[in-house]
Amino acid sequence: MASKRIAVAKTYKIYIGGKFPRTESGRYFTLEDKKGKVIANMCRGSRKDFRNAVVAARNAQTGWAKTSAYLRGQILYRIAEMLEGRREQFIAELKLQGATQRAAETEVDLSIDRLIYFAGWTDKYQQIFSAVNPVSSSHFNFSVLEPTGVVSILAPDDTSLLGLIANVAPAIAGGNTCVVLASESKPLSAVSFAEVLHASDVPGGVVNILTGFRAELTEHFASHMDVNAVIYCDGSKAVAKTVQVLAADNIKRVIARNQVDWSGDAENPYLIRDTQEVKTTWHPIGV
Amino acid sequence: MALSAVKKSVRLPDLSNVPSVDEVGVDERVARFQSRSIKKSSKVEALKLILSMIDLTTLEGQDTPGKVRQLCQKAIHLHDAMPGLPHVAAVCVYPTMVSVARKALAGHDINIASVATAFPSGMSTLQVKLDDTRMAVKAGATEIDMVISRGRFLAGDYRYVFDEIVAVKEACGDAHLKVILETGELGTLDQVRRASVLAMHAGADFIKTSTGKIQPAATMQVTLTMLQAIRDFYRDTGKMIGMKPAGGISTSKLAIHYLVMLHETLGNAWMTPEWFRFGASSLANDVLMQLMKQSTGVYQSADYFSKD
């Protein structure tokens, strides 16, 4: 009789600078399914992991912002392709975290389509949001968008994959790099999504994904001086206050995304504009 | 100056007696240094000590007087938002920039170090090297960083390398002499040890790892080997020699590991800018960011610190 094969369980790790380290703190938390059975031990990311991730994001930012809009679009499309190829795996993981077959399929499909949606916008949002301004002197006056830089993202808790992608895709489509804290209760898909990113020509450091406790990490996501914008999803009033006060130190952009319907509402280019800076140039006429 | 004029009292030691270096042992020892945990107030003190030991350096073909003045300004005003910071030990520039630096640093207690002797390759005649050195000293350099002739050293012509250092030492006059071994080109730790012994006997005030132009530059392994050579030289002769790792030390964490290594190899007597320096350009800002992090509790950004 052939012996039963021993299952190879996957180690869910964090994603920093194009690598999959364990948390530097050595801490973990246990993820259980509805019946209390252990699904996985997740890295409980620390503030130092976050610090390392910001360093990686900062190093990657200049290069990513310089990448042409077309290439950024192609890379986003590539992420969608890779995700499509792993569709079954993601559906299985979502089900493991409590979703029904149908809901899981819908979420994965929406996620793939959302990536393609923002891939299409990379070479178009500039035209939509930029302007030639009328001024009363002999100048041409242009306002154009530039990425704000490093964006920290506290992803929504209730959706494992779609909420993450709906926040990450518009940020990187606009040339930003980001550090994301995955859903605390459903972190599996975020780690698998990091593997998809890793296989999609996304340069290391452009997207960094941590798992861990939101209550512990929020203040660092908001206060780090080298972060230019912070996006928080579904934060209480107290969280909103903490984030805004701490973000004021270096006048970060604070973007609150509360009770967003990620399946529909979030499919618009204004999410790209949220993490862009407007630069206005005065150019003398006739010189 | 002809080599025959070399002082007779300085003698080339018998380099065949130099102990060989246990590379595995060095790796293990270095790993230990990196496992020390330096936190809170000890960390702050260490960071301040590191600042005071930095030779703020610019050694580029593209250096302009403006760039050197900017560097000097940084040396004087490290980060005015934080009062009570020490100043760096020295600025380190090319000989042609020494006069610019001297002007910019007038009235401040900051040394001016100049590289000399056909830096970074050292591929020139003795006469040219001595002229280079004298020019830098005349322009106001208080410290000279010379490079050894690695080609001659590797070919086994120790006598030549030795006499060259002795001659440059004499050309330095009152200026301190740091001898750059360029360990990245020496190959093995045994060679590093041998070159260290040679340089110390020839009259080096400091021995320095690298020019910063060759990879690998300073490593902890190489620095430990040199520190051990300094320790043994002190035991034999009673003469203290300074140490300067240079190149590739750009984070506070790494610099603290070096301090730990210094403390555990040579002890407290060497824990001052007089006997230990860091040759670095980007280290200062990282240390400042760490100090600011310690005082505010918030991770810092390079955007808010002046460039050096």
Side-chain angles (χ1 to χ4, degrees):
Chain A
M1 197 180 82
S3 62
K4 203 179 159 210
R5 186 170 168 272
I6 298 168
V8 180
K10 171 164 149 184
T11 312
Y12 287 86
K13 296 191 282 188
I14 54 180
Y15 186 54
I16 297 176
K19 292 197 166 66
F20 291 91
R22 289 185 171 83
T23 165
E24 62 77 39
S25 66
R27 302 174 308 174
Y28 67 97
F29 63 102
T30 305
L31 202 65
E32 295 173 351
D33 65 9
K34 276 179 192 163
K35 290 171 194 156
K37 192 175 153 250
V38 174
I39 302 172
N41 289 324
M42 304 298 302
C43 286
R44 187 179 151 197
S46 67
R47 64 188 168 89
K48 288 191 180 173
D49 293 320
F50 174 66
R51 174 199 64 186
N52 294 345
V54 172
V55 170
R58 173 58 64 198
N59 288 340
Q61 207 275 320
T62 325
W64 182 241
K66 272 189 194 151
T67 310
S68 75
Y70 313 106
L71 183 56
R72 282 207 303 276
Q74 282 173 343
I75 290 176
L76 271 136
Y77 194 92
R78 177 84 179 158
I79 305 172
E81 285 177 10
M82 293 294 109
L83 193 51
E84 177 82 27
R86 296 230 216 161
R87 194 167 168 274
E88 298 310 320
Q89 180 202 342
F90 277 88
I91 290 171
E93 259 171 8
L94 287 174
K95 282 165 70 183
L96 202 59
Q97 297 175 111
T100 62
Q101 173 76 23
R102 205 188 156 110
E105 280 176 13
T106 313
E107 180 164 353
V108 173
D109 290 347
L110 275 169
S111 300
I112 296 166
D113 294 351
R114 189 64 49 84
L115 283 161
I116 292 172
Y117 175 82
F118 282 110
W121 270 110
T122 53
D123 60 348
K124 299 174 189 70
Y125 71 89
Q126 194 69 256
Q127 295 91 306
I128 305 292
F129 296 128
S130 295
V132 179
N133 312 309
V135 287
S136 60
S137 60
S138 54
H139 291 87
F140 292 119
N141 186 284
F142 314 99
S143 293
V144 294
L145 298 186
E146 285 181 354
T148 188
V150 174
V151 181
S152 64
I153 301 173
L154 296 153
D157 193 58
D158 53 350
T159 96
S160 183
L161 184 63
L162 180 60
L164 181 86
I165 288 175
N167 281 290
V168 168
I172 63 172
N176 298 290
T177 55
C178 61
V179 181
V180 197
L181 180 62
S183 162
E184 186 175 315
S185 63
K186 298 170 184 165
L188 292 185
S189 314
V191 180
S192 298
F193 182 61
E195 292 157 15
V196 167
L197 291 169
H198 199 64
S200 308
D201 301 332
V202 180
V206 170
V207 182
N208 304 277
I209 300 179
L210 308 181
T211 55
F213 296 165
R214 208 164 143 161
E216 179 189 348
L217 291 171
T218 298
E219 62 167 304
H220 302 290
F221 272 62
S223 68
H224 197 308
M225 296 289 278
D226 212 18
V227 170
N228 304 100
V230 51
I231 298 173
Y232 69 95
C233 300
D234 303 328
S236 65
K237 263 196 172 163
V239 167
K241 189 178 167 188
T242 309
V243 170
Q244 295 196 16
V245 168
L246 292 173
D249 266 353
N250 69 335
I251 31 180
K252 278 181 200 66
R253 278 168 178 269
V254 179
I255 299 139
R257 291 180 179 157
N258 294 321
Q259 280 79 53
V260 177
D261 171 14
W262 298 108
S263 62
D265 292 352
E267 196 168 82
N268 68 65
Y270 295 100
L271 270 70
I272 301 178
R273 196 180 61 172
D274 280 349
T275 51
Q276 298 289 310
E277 303 290 337
V278 180
K279 179 157 131 191
T280 296
T281 311
W282 296 68
H283 184 81
I285 294 171
V287 175
Chain B
M1 190 182 76
L3 287 181
S4 57
V6 163
K7 275 183 282 177
K8 291 283 180 287
S9 61
V10 189
R11 296 242 302 275
L12 176 65
D14 180 4
L15 291 175
S16 64
N17 284 337
V18 172
S20 65
V21 180
D22 168 9
E23 302 219 357
V24 177
V26 166
D27 280 341
E28 270 183 20
R29 190 83 183 102
V30 163
R32 287 287 182 87
F33 296 132
Q34 289 176 306
S35 68
R36 305 282 189 274
S37 180
I38 311 287
K39 301 284 180 203
K40 306 265 159 59
S41 61
S42 353
K43 184 174 179 184
V44 170
E45 289 310 312
L47 291 172
K48 286 186 176 167
L49 184 58
I50 290 165
L51 275 186
S52 74
M53 288 172 163
I54 290 177
D55 282 5
L56 212 53
T57 303
T58 181
L59 295 170
E60 303 290 335
Q62 61 191 356
D63 283 349
T64 58
K67 171 80 209 284
V68 172
R69 277 193 290 269
Q70 185 185 333
L71 187 83
C72 295
Q73 193 66 15
K74 176 78 178 174
I76 300 166
H77 302 280
L78 276 173
H79 192 58
D80 289 349
M82 279 192 90
L85 288 178
H87 60 70
V88 298
V91 296
C92 183
V93 293
Y94 271 117
T96 46
M97 290 296 167
V98 169
S99 56
V100 178
R102 194 178 62 170
K103 228 181 209 170
L105 292 173
H108 293 276
D109 183 26
I110 297 173
N111 286 305
I112 300 165
S114 170
V115 295
T117 71
F119 181 94
S121 72
M123 286 296 191
S124 194
T125 61
L126 180 64
Q127 194 53 51
V128 170
K129 292 181 181 183
L130 293 178
D131 288 347
D132 200 16
T133 308
R134 291 199 191 98
M135 186 189 101
V137 173
K138 201 174 160 209
T142 52
E143 301 175 355
I144 296 294
D145 291 24
M146 74 168 286
V147 290
I148 64 167
S149 299
R150 281 87 75 192
R152 293 280 192 151
F153 181 85
L154 292 171
D157 197 350
Y158 301 139
R159 166 65 63 193
Y160 181 91
V161 179
F162 183 84
D163 289 350
E164 202 175 52
I165 299 173
V166 174
V168 172
K169 170 72 182 167
E170 200 153 291
C172 281
D174 290 336
H176 270 232
L177 177 66
K178 303 190 200 117
V179 178
I180 303 173
L181 309 181
E182 193 60 300
T183 53
E185 291 185 338
L186 294 184
T188 63
L189 292 182
D190 281 342
Q191 295 277 44
V192 170
R193 175 92 191 208
R194 208 167 290 141
S196 306
V197 172
L198 185 148
M200 289 187 292
H201 279 278
D205 296 303
F206 262 73
I207 49 176
K208 174 175 168 183
T209 57
S210 329
T211 59
K213 305 291 180 197
I214 299 284
Q215 289 303 324
T219 64
M220 289 190 72
Q221 282 80 354
V222 154
T223 308
L224 178 61
T225 304
M226 292 168 73
L227 289 173
Q228 287 169 340
I230 291 173
R231 183 186 59 198
D232 292 350
F233 184 76
Y234 176 70
R235 281 180 188 160
D236 290 347
T237 66
K239 201 177 155 212
M240 282 172 84
I241 304 289
M243 173 70 206
K244 177 176 173 184
I249 307 169
S250 55
T251 66
S252 318
K253 195 174 180 177
L254 184 56
I256 290 175
H257 292 326
Y258 273 85
L259 279 192
V260 169
M261 177 161 70
L262 174 66
H263 184 252
E264 294 185 21
T265 312
L266 294 180
N268 273 334
W270 266 267
M271 302 280 285
T272 78
E274 196 188 340
W275 298 110
F276 195 81
R277 298 284 179 82
F278 289 103
S281 48
S282 53
L283 175 62
N285 265 358
D286 193 70
V287 173
L288 290 170
M289 278 161 62
Q290 289 300 319
L291 279 168
M292 204 66 176
K293 157 77 175 61
Q294 292 295 324
S295 77
T296 62
V298 172
Y299 288 118
Q300 298 296 308
S301 162
D303 288 354
Y304 306 99
F305 292 82
S306 60
K307 287 193 177 139
D308 47 30

